[in-house]
């Protein structure tokens, strides 16, 4: 068989993904796949503070100075994402 015609085709990949989904292993993560830098308590605090700051920014954009509100919301998002904080209910640790 020619090198470019190996069994690694799109159909094979889709079949493998379908089999994983049917077996319930499609979203299983190994423990070594992701090691968080911060503890879950720190991530939770940063997430909640970012959420509150985003709401305050929305208030400023709606009822006050839109530029200040946009700045607050943007900085809150940058800080949370910069620290690796994200809402992910499937995260194990």
């Amino acid at each position: 068989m020619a090198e470019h015609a190996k069994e690694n085709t799109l159909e094979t990949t889709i079949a493998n993904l379908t089999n994983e989904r049917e077996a319930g292993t499609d979203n299983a993560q190994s423990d070594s796949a992701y090691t968080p830098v911060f503890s879950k308590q720190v991530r939770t605090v940063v997430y909640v503070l970012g959420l509150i700051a985003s709401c305050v920014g929305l208030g400023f954009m709606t009822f006050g100075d839109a530029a200040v509100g946009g700045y607050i919301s943007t900085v809150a998002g940058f800080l949370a994402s910069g620290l690796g904080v994200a809402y992910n209910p499937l995260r194990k640790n």
Side-chain angles (χ1 to χ4, degrees), residues 46-60:
V46 171
Y47 178 79
V48 170
L49 290 177
L51 182 63
I52 291 170
S54 293
C55 292
V56 168
L58 178 64
F60 269 97

Side-chain angles (χ1 to χ4, degrees), residues 12-28 90:
T12 304
T13 304
I14 291 172
N16 290 339
L17 290 173
T18 303
N19 292 340
E20 288 177 2
R21 183 177 177 109
E22 290 172 355
T25 60
D26 60 332
N27 60 2
L90 299 177

Side-chain angles (χ1 to χ4, degrees), residues 27-70:
N27 60 2
Q29 297 177 351
S30 66
D31 291 337
S32 64
Y34 173 75
T35 304
V37 175
F38 302 104
S39 69
K40 62 181 174 179
Q41 290 85 7
V42 171
R43 290 193 313 260
T44 301
V45 168
V46 171
Y47 178 79
V48 170
L49 290 177
L51 182 63
I52 291 170
S54 293
C55 292
V56 168
L58 178 64
F60 269 97
M61 285 193 292
T62 305
F63 302 110
D65 188 3
V68 173

